[in-house]
Amino acid sequence: MTENIELSIIIPVYNTKNYLPQCLDSILSQTNNNIEIICVNDGSTDSSLEILKKYQNQNENIQIINQKNKGAGAARNKGLACAKGKYVLFIDSDDWINQNLINTILDYTQTTNCDIFCFNGALFDNKKQKFNGETFFHPNNINPVLQKYSLCSHKDFSHIFYNNLSSVNKAYKREFLLKNNIRFPENIHFEDWIFHHKTLFKTEKIAVIKEPLYYYRIGQPNSFVTKMKKNRSIFDLFQVLKQYKTILKDTNLYSYYQETYENYMVWILKIKFIFDVQFMLKKEFLNQTKSFLNEEITQINQNNLLDEENKEFLYTINNFNWLSCWFKYYTLYKIQKIIKKLY
């Protein structure tokens, strides 16, 4: 393999034997000598490691790193520590990529010398075995005046906290990550979200393409979202939201984004309470939500930065019990969904 590596692809692997071949095949169909593929086996107990070895025997581009199960964040950090490429791309082992993604990354990064190259993704419903819309960001949420190969900053993305929270739809300049000492947090869920905002707010050299070139699988049993609904990992969200404030203050952007940040905190906690917290934990989660928001939002009852829907949610959770709150909002969302289908 040449020492002039343009792109390091880092793949955390944990018990994805059913999807791993498709992931690797989608990469290998477009690799060249300027690419390295670092597969970090994160303590898999199925045949994932055997699959990796089989592919490694046939492809010199592939490296395998074994570690005890520490989670996706630790696996990505391990791969990053070994990477030699000018740019780094993270891919989840149950996903796969478009046949043009690698060439597109090389084209954009070589032309713009950006710190971050951002592209879109398509959702693949594993249960229904069909694509189900786009993910990561909506094309209309990007500054419409941006031209091909334009460089932009976080300020060119509208709804900055609501979109684009993943690390798998971006190629990062490795030097940029090392210079700013940016790594994935470990031993915490939603690690992507923290990593994303640390990188996004540290640079004004972002290149964007709106096409969905990453295929993101949902609805498979071992996914984080599926597991999150069955355990207490959802409570890590409070720590993550506090980290957002720290990141904004560290980058001198808190006053610029305070309104968006405070509205987002209320909105995301509402959404998670309704849909992603298992029923037996809803009361505890809502109590923690009330305490958290009263602590984090200044003058919460008189705050003019909050929109009316979020103010209404705060009033509801502070004046009604958890079951009434959940029933009200769950029913409301169901009604809205039915109305949307009718029209």
Side-chain angles (χ1 to χ4, degrees):
M1 186 187 299
T2 178
E3 291 299 317
N4 185 29
I5 298 172
E6 291 291 332
L7 182 66
S8 297
I9 299 175
I10 298 172
I11 310 173
V13 179
Y14 179 71
N15 290 353
T16 52
K17 64 177 183 178
N18 293 331
Y19 315 111
L20 185 55
Q22 183 179 19
C23 175
L24 294 173
D25 288 340
S26 72
I27 299 167
L28 292 167
S29 65
Q30 52 190 308
T31 56
N32 56 49
N33 287 333
N34 293 330
I35 303 274
E36 65 175 358
I37 304 167
I38 303 173
C39 300
V40 183
N41 177 44
D42 189 38
S44 294
T45 56
D46 65 359
S47 58
S48 292
L49 180 57
E50 286 70 26
I51 293 171
L52 290 176
K53 289 178 178 178
K54 177 182 176 181
Y55 274 82
Q56 185 185 46
N57 289 335
Q58 300 170 0
N59 300 274
E60 64 174 9
N61 301 73
I62 295 178
Q63 304 175 46
I64 300 174
I65 300 172
N66 288 299
Q67 67 175 30
K68 293 181 180 180
N69 180 239
K70 297 180 180 180
R76 289 176 182 142
N77 287 339
K78 188 74 171 180
L80 184 59
C82 301
K84 299 182 178 68
K86 183 176 180 182
Y87 285 85
V88 175
L89 171 68
F90 300 102
I91 298 177
D92 288 343
S93 59
D94 53 351
D95 300 334
W96 74 104
I97 60 174
N98 182 278
Q99 61 183 1
N100 296 318
L101 176 58
I102 292 177
N103 284 335
T104 303
I105 290 173
L106 296 178
D107 176 32
Y108 265 79
T109 55
Q110 290 169 359
T111 302
T112 64
N113 195 34
C114 57
D115 291 328
I116 304 172
F117 173 56
C118 181
F119 43 91
N120 211 356
L123 283 172
F124 181 78
D125 190 318
N126 198 59
K127 292 181 179 178
K128 297 180 180 179
Q129 288 293 296
K130 67 177 184 178
F131 286 99
N132 186 23
E134 295 185 1
T135 185
F136 304 131
F137 60 85
H138 193 285
N140 292 340
N141 291 338
I142 302 173
N143 190 336
V145 303
L146 293 174
Q147 301 296 314
K148 186 176 182 179
Y149 302 124
S150 293
L151 285 174
C152 66
S153 76
H154 48 87
K155 295 178 181 179
D156 289 290
F157 292 83
S158 60
H159 309 294
I160 190 69
F161 294 106
Y162 299 81
N163 293 286
N164 211 21
L165 295 173
S166 181
S167 62
V168 297
N169 69 315
K170 303 172 189 73
Y172 301 91
K173 184 184 286 185
R174 188 167 63 92
E175 180 184 355
F176 162 72
L177 297 178
L178 297 177
K179 178 181 177 182
N180 290 283
N181 194 30
I182 299 175
R183 301 292 187 276
F184 287 90
E186 300 182 15
N187 302 314
I188 185 174
H189 296 90
F190 306 100
E191 74 283 344
D192 257 14
W193 297 20
I194 297 174
F195 183 87
H196 162 71
H197 285 101
K198 280 186 176 181
T199 57
L200 194 71
F201 294 138
K202 283 283 187 179
T203 183
E204 295 189 352
K205 295 177 64 179
I206 303 171
V208 179
I209 189 171
K210 299 178 182 179
E211 283 74 17
L213 300 176
Y214 186 97
Y215 302 132
Y216 186 82
R217 192 187 306 270
I218 60 173
Q220 62 102 344
N222 288 325
S223 71
F224 166 65
V225 175
T226 302
K227 291 178 179 179
M228 180 182 68
K229 294 182 178 182
K230 299 178 180 179
N231 59 37
R232 297 182 59 85
S233 58
I234 187 70
F235 286 87
D236 286 354
L237 182 58
F238 297 104
Q239 185 178 341
V240 170
L241 292 176
K242 281 190 175 184
Q243 281 282 320
Y244 280 10
K245 180 182 280 190
T246 300
I247 294 167
L248 289 171
K249 288 184 174 181
D250 287 347
T251 51
N252 298 315
L253 290 168
Y254 182 69
S255 60
Y256 184 86
Y257 280 118
Q258 183 180 359
E259 178 177 356
T260 305
Y261 167 68
E262 293 195 356
N263 277 288
Y264 174 76
M265 280 197 296
V266 181
W267 177 83
I268 192 64
L269 289 170
K270 176 174 68 174
I271 294 299
K272 295 300 181 185
F273 166 68
I274 297 168
F275 297 111
D276 290 341
V277 179
Q278 64 169 295
F279 197 77
M280 297 301 295
L281 294 175
K282 285 188 184 293
K283 180 179 180 180
E284 181 183 354
F285 185 86
L286 193 64
N287 286 336
Q288 195 161 331
T289 294
K290 288 192 286 187
S291 299
F292 177 82
L293 292 175
N294 278 290
E295 178 183 337
E296 293 299 317
I297 297 181
T298 307
Q299 296 180 327
I300 192 166
N301 294 322
Q302 293 82 35
N303 192 299
N304 293 321
L305 299 180
L306 298 177
D307 61 36
E308 291 304 315
E309 283 191 10
N310 286 333
K311 287 181 180 178
E312 194 269 344
F313 176 71
L314 292 174
Y315 173 82
T316 301
I317 65 176
N318 283 302
N319 288 279
F320 297 92
N321 65 41
W322 69 272
L323 187 58
S324 298
C325 294
W326 174 77
F327 183 78
K328 170 185 176 178
Y329 284 101
Y330 184 77
T331 303
L332 179 62
Y333 274 93
K334 286 293 185 181
I335 292 172
Q336 290 174 338
K337 193 172 182 180
I338 292 170
I339 293 173
K340 188 176 180 180
K341 284 184 177 180
L342 291 175
Y343 293 94

